[in-house]
Amino acid sequence: MADSNAALLRSLPAVGEFLSSLAGRELCKAFGEGVIKRELRQTLDDLRHDIRTGKMTEPWPLDRLTSEVTLRARRLTQPQARQAINATGILLHTGLGRAPMCDAAIEAIRVAAGYTPLQASLESGDRSLREARVEQLLQELIGCEAATVVNNNAAATMLILNTLAAGKEVIISRGQLIEIGGSFRMTDVMAQSNAILREVGTTNRTHLRDYQAAIGGGGQTGALIHVHTSNYRVRGFASTPSVDELVALGRKHELPVIDDLGSGAIVPLSPWGISDEPLVKDSLAAGSDVICFSGDKLICGPQAGIICGRKTIIERIRKNPYARMFRVCKLTLAGLEATLLEFINNTYRENIPFYRMLSRDITALDQEARTLAVALAKIDGLSAEVAADLAYVGSGSIPDEGLPTRVVRLRHGSIPAGELARGFRMGIPSVFGRLADRELVIDLRTLREGEVAQVAAAAIQVCSE
């Protein structure tokens, strides 16, 4: 074993040897010498590891090594290598970047990549507020007094708590101590803000009197917070005070009320047959002092945390040193402005991909699924069956309600479903389906224009290798 491993290790070319070969020179010309050196070294390191662990038992010919380095270089340097086709049925897929942005946002980001009047007044030429246009659009759209933007909603929550309640207690229902993706917990965010967590009630039931009893004298209470449990639901014998009730209690004790809405719905979802998420404008109408929500979920813009509410509070938040640490770049602001304009113009149903996906007719999805299944069934060894299924919004929104959809279920005679899925993911562009019952499932609701043909082409490539 040791002798065979040693022989395999010796069969690997040196970096300089490969770069000086015809294949190496052509790759350097196509991708740049620095890129090829990097990818070649990583490939050789991986091969050495496979040899030492027994995964590699035969030498790699030069053409196979060249193909592997080429693929890695393409993934690093070519924009199309960063494209993913979402066939999972999860419309806002966190692993795939959540909401695909509308064309207007993409164009706005392209223009803003150059010089842009980010913080310069066109009238006076003086320094201006960088999020002024976003604030104006939100004032028009949801009726807030003021608004600001940070890099995500967790940062928004932390910044609000630190501004309003550092060193003081913030009262929250135990049923709202959420954990968001990546194991980030509300308790941890509150601790980092230097606010003191004061839990009240139980997991399933919290009463207004629980908040009332927890409010301490001498200014020890800093705020009341309501957190929308957007990524789970508690059913049955469960209740918690409404935002309206918390606002009334907060006014009575001169305490600010914070509403963390998470996914950030600014339009109803019921027209598509699913339950509405709490609307930002409704929380404002209820009297919440400050509200925060995501910009890249139901709003479908770039990643951002939007904070809106009373002007006096927003001004305090802007002056907090953390505000600069968490602020967003010009590209985020440009994309967010363009996305908000689609809602103001009431063109979001047609122009924002997420809302187009929600609106897709089940008959059209069925026809596309059958067209795809016919094409895939022509591939040797591959069976393709159309079935009814459910798609989901995703990203912590409406976790227990699905949308009717059509899927194509794939099974190969000699390729396990997991390997089939891996092959689809490794292509350019990457195709992400979902695994169920030892089959690879392709969901038509989350495919975009022209992607049915790309999925068919990917299947041909995977099954011919």
Side-chain angles (χ1 to χ4, degrees), residues 116 123 198:
T116 183
E123 183 176 347
R198 181 68 186 273

Side-chain angles (χ1 to χ4, degrees), residues 132-322:
R133 285 183 292 275
V134 167
E135 181 179 56
Q136 291 161 7
L137 295 175
L138 287 168
Q139 287 168 334
E140 174 71 21
L141 189 59
I142 59 176
C144 60
E145 289 184 9
T148 189
V149 185
V150 292
N151 60 356
N152 61 31
N153 193 48
T157 304
M158 192 267 195
L159 182 57
I160 293 168
L161 291 169
N162 182 260
T163 302
L164 298 182
K168 296 183 178 182
E169 292 183 351
V170 174
I171 304 174
I172 184 172
S173 167
R174 284 189 175 89
Q176 297 174 8
L177 291 173
I178 63 170
E179 178 178 306
I180 59 177
S183 299
F184 289 96
R185 296 179 172 181
M186 176 59 69
T187 51
D188 299 330
V189 173
M190 292 182 76
Q192 289 300 314
S193 73
N194 202 31
I196 300 167
L197 173 66
R198 181 68 186 273
E199 305 172 33
V200 296
T202 63
T203 303
N204 61 316
R205 285 178 73 81
T206 302
H207 303 279
L208 190 64
R209 63 178 179 267
D210 296 320
Y211 288 87
Q212 172 71 62
I215 296 174
Q220 72 183 53
T221 303
L224 310 179
I225 186 169
H226 180 276
V227 180
H228 175 46
T229 55
S230 59
N231 59 358
Y232 67 94
R233 294 289 186 267
V234 179
R235 306 292 189 188
F237 189 62
S239 66
T240 189
S242 66
V243 174
D244 304 67
E245 292 174 296
L246 290 183
V247 166
L249 183 62
R251 296 288 184 273
K252 178 180 177 181
H253 294 275
E254 297 184 342
L255 292 173
V257 174
I258 304 163
D259 194 5
D260 183 344
L261 286 177
S263 52
I266 54 178
V267 294
L269 297 176
S270 51
W272 292 279
I274 51 181
S275 298
D276 287 330
E277 287 280 279
L279 296 178
V280 178
K281 63 181 180 181
D282 289 346
S283 183
L284 285 167
S288 296
D289 296 284
V290 60
I291 305 165
C292 61
F293 48 94
S294 295
D296 56 334
K297 294 183 180 179
L298 295 176
I299 290 177
C300 303
Q303 178 179 293
I306 300 172
I307 305 171
C308 64
R310 298 190 182 281
K311 185 173 182 179
T312 54
I313 292 178
I314 300 300
E315 290 300 327
R316 288 176 61 189
I317 288 171
R318 285 192 177 118
K319 294 175 182 176
N320 189 315
Y322 281 123

Side-chain angles (χ1 to χ4, degrees), residues 432-444:
F432 284 77
R434 66 175 185 266
L435 293 171
D437 301 324
R438 298 184 180 181
E439 294 177 322
L440 176 60
V441 178
I442 303 296
D443 195 310
L444 275 291

Side-chain angles (χ1 to χ4, degrees), residues 93-129:
H93 196 299
T94 297
L96 302 181
R98 292 182 178 160
M101 284 188 264
C102 62
D103 291 342
I106 294 169
E107 176 61 14
I109 290 170
R110 186 194 69 79
V111 172
Y115 287 120
T116 183
L118 177 66
Q119 288 181 260
S121 167
L122 297 180
E123 183 176 347
S124 67
D126 296 334
R127 187 181 180 90
S128 63
L129 184 66

Side-chain angles (χ1 to χ4, degrees), residues 268-462:
L269 297 176
S270 51
W272 292 279
I274 51 181
S275 298
D276 287 330
E277 287 280 279
L279 296 178
V280 178
K281 63 181 180 181
D282 289 346
S283 183
L284 285 167
S288 296
D289 296 284
V290 60
I291 305 165
C292 61
F293 48 94
S294 295
D296 56 334
K297 294 183 180 179
L298 295 176
I299 290 177
C300 303
Q303 178 179 293
I306 300 172
I307 305 171
C308 64
R310 298 190 182 281
K311 185 173 182 179
T312 54
I313 292 178
I314 300 300
E315 290 300 327
R316 288 176 61 189
I317 288 171
R318 285 192 177 118
K319 294 175 182 176
N320 189 315
Y322 281 123
R324 184 174 180 86
M325 299 178 199
F326 297 155
R327 77 179 186 182
V328 295
C329 72
K330 60 182 181 179
L331 305 183
T332 298
L333 290 171
L336 186 56
E337 289 166 18
T339 305
L340 292 174
L341 281 170
E342 299 289 359
F343 289 98
I344 286 178
N345 289 329
N346 201 30
T347 52
Y348 63 92
R349 293 178 184 85
E350 312 92 75
N351 294 342
I352 293 180
F354 168 75
Y355 291 96
R356 285 206 306 268
M357 290 177 192
L358 285 180
S359 304
R360 297 194 68 190
D361 179 69
I362 195 68
T363 303
L365 291 176
D366 187 78
Q367 183 58 53
E368 286 188 8
R370 295 185 185 283
T371 300
L372 178 61
V374 168
L376 296 180
K378 295 177 182 178
I379 300 172
D380 289 341
L382 189 65
S383 66
E385 178 186 357
V386 176
D389 211 324
L390 293 174
Y392 292 88
V393 171
S395 281
S397 302
I398 315 146
D400 56 353
E401 293 185 42
L403 292 158
T405 189
R406 290 294 183 270
V407 301
V408 178
R409 304 178 70 94
L410 303 181
R411 186 186 292 267
H412 196 278
S414 59
I415 306 174
E419 286 300 308
L420 196 63
R422 181 181 181 277
F424 273 87
R425 292 195 306 270
M426 294 300 291
I428 297 178
S430 300
V431 178
F432 284 77
R434 66 175 185 266
L435 293 171
D437 301 324
R438 298 184 180 181
E439 294 177 322
L440 176 60
V441 178
I442 303 296
D443 195 310
L444 275 291
R445 186 169 287 279
T446 46
L447 294 185
R448 301 177 68 184
E449 295 84 353
E451 290 183 342
V452 169
Q454 289 180 288
V455 171
I460 294 171
Q461 180 66 33
V462 170

